[in-house]
Amino acid sequence: MNRIESQGLVYDQFPIFSDIPWLFHGCFTRKGGVSTGPYQGLNLALSNGDLPESVKENRRRVLQEAGGHELVFLSQVHGDRVHLHKEGTLEPVTADAVVTNRPGSMLTILTADCQAVFLVDPVKKVVANAHAGWRGSVAGILSKTVATMVDAFGCEPEDILAGIGPSLGPCCAEFVHYKKELPKSFYSHRVGINHFDFWAISRDQLCRAGLCAHKIRASLHCTRCDSDHYYSYRERHTTGRMASVIGIRR
Ligand SMILES: [Zn+2]
C-alpha cells in the first residue's frame, strides 16, 4: 500500500490502481478528523453515537480530498444486496455493495474490522465498493457485486482489478463458533484452532467470480492490531467507522 498524507488526513492506496488516471480511491485511516473520545479522529458514521457536527466536518474533509460532488453512503446491514447508483438516487439505500459508472460519485463503505473491497473495471470505466464482513462473505456479497458489474455494464470479470482494504487479519479473526457460523468451504483458510484468514477467503471468492488472481491485492493491515490508525469493533464496541472511498473523477 502507498500511504498518502494530505490536508492532515492519512490514507492508503493500492499500487495496482495507480495507472488508472480517472480513478480516485483511498482507504482512510482514523487520522485527521475532529471526533473525540472513543471516536477520536476521522469517524464517518452517524449512527454510532458520535456528534453529528463532528461527522459532518469529517465527511466534508473526505469529500474534499476525494474531489467528487458527493459521497455515496449505504445503510449497511451485513447482507448481500448490491445497489446500482444512478443520478438522483435517494441514499442511503439498504445494501452492502454499490456499483456505478457515474463521474463524481464517490462510493463510500464504512468499516471497523470488516473489509471494504474495491473493484475497478478500467476498460468499461466502472467502479464498485463492497462491505464484506463475515456475514457478507458467507452470503457471497463479492460474487454478487461482480455479477452486477457484468449484468449492468457488460464488464468482463478478467478485466476487473480488486483491492481488499484494512480489516481483521488472521491474527485476530477468531471464530469460536465457526462450525455454526462459517461454511465448510472456508475451513481451508482456518489458521490455528479457530482463527480464519478472510483476506484469502475474499481472494478465493473473487477468483471464483472470474477475476484473475494476479489482479487482486489485499492491504494486509489488521485493524485490531493497529488502533493508532484504525477503528476496531473487536477491540472496542463503542468506536468510529473508517471510510473507504472509490470513484471516477469528474
Ligand atoms: Zn490482528
Side-chain angles (χ1 to χ4, degrees):
M1 301 290 273
N2 295 329
R3 184 146 280 180
I4 312 293
E5 294 192 35
S6 173
Q7 311 288 332
L9 305 180
V10 178
Y11 58 99
D12 292 331
Q13 293 189 323
F14 293 96
I16 196 172
F17 295 147
S18 60
D19 291 337
I20 308 171
W22 46 263
L23 185 74
F24 173 83
H25 79 287
C27 300
F28 286 84
T29 68
R30 64 190 292 180
K31 299 269 189 197
V34 299
S35 294
T36 57
Y39 315 102
Q40 178 68 47
L42 192 72
N43 167 48
L44 274 272
L46 277 169
S47 57
N48 56 358
D50 195 3
L51 298 172
E53 53 268 35
S54 301
V55 176
K56 192 176 170 196
E57 171 60 18
N58 291 341
R59 289 181 171 195
R60 190 193 65 76
R61 292 181 184 190
V62 168
L63 180 59
Q64 185 180 44
E65 182 64 23
H69 64 265
E70 60 176 348
L71 294 177
V72 177
F73 292 95
L74 300 173
S75 178
Q76 302 172 192
V77 292
H78 298 274
D80 64 351
R81 191 166 169 268
V82 183
H83 171 54
L84 198 55
H85 174 71
K86 296 174 181 166
E87 192 174 354
T89 319
L90 210 59
E91 264 98 13
V93 302
T94 299
D96 283 275
V98 52
V99 180
T100 199
N101 66 347
R102 196 169 172 241
S105 294
M106 295 293 154
L107 311 181
T108 306
I109 291 292
L110 301 180
T111 62
D113 290 339
C114 290
Q115 297 173 4
V117 179
F118 295 147
L119 298 171
V120 181
D121 180 345
V123 178
K124 295 289 197 311
K125 209 170 175 179
V126 172
V127 295
N129 201 352
H131 167 232
W134 70 266
R135 288 184 182 83
S137 299
V138 172
I141 183 71
L142 296 181
S143 65
K144 285 167 186 169
T145 308
V146 172
T148 301
M149 294 172 76
V150 171
D151 294 344
F153 298 106
C155 299
E156 303 282 355
E158 55 265 37
D159 290 335
I160 296 173
L161 307 173
I164 301 165
S167 46
L168 210 58
C171 39
C172 295
E174 185 180 25
F175 285 78
V176 176
H177 305 294
Y178 72 89
K179 285 180 181 166
K180 271 191 276 182
E181 292 170 339
L182 304 178
K184 286 213 167 66
S185 59
F186 287 14
Y187 289 10
S188 58
H189 296 299
R190 187 156 63 104
V191 179
I193 295 170
N194 52 19
H195 285 62
F196 283 81
D197 183 349
F198 275 83
W199 298 328
I201 289 169
S202 289
R203 249 189 245 117
D204 271 9
Q205 292 183 328
L206 290 168
C207 286
R208 276 203 296 279
L211 272 69
C212 306
H214 70 275
K215 294 186 178 180
I216 302 167
R217 293 289 186 278
S219 138
L220 307 182
H221 285 117
C222 174
T223 41
R224 195 186 184 191
C225 286
D226 182 359
S227 56
D228 192 35
H229 285 93
Y230 304 114
Y231 298 114
S232 171
Y233 182 78
R234 285 232 177 176
E235 179 67 26
R236 189 174 185 174
H237 281 206
T238 301
T239 190
R241 295 292 180 277
M242 288 145 332
S244 290
V245 180
I246 190 163
I248 300 164
R249 296 179 195 276
R250 285 182 292 182

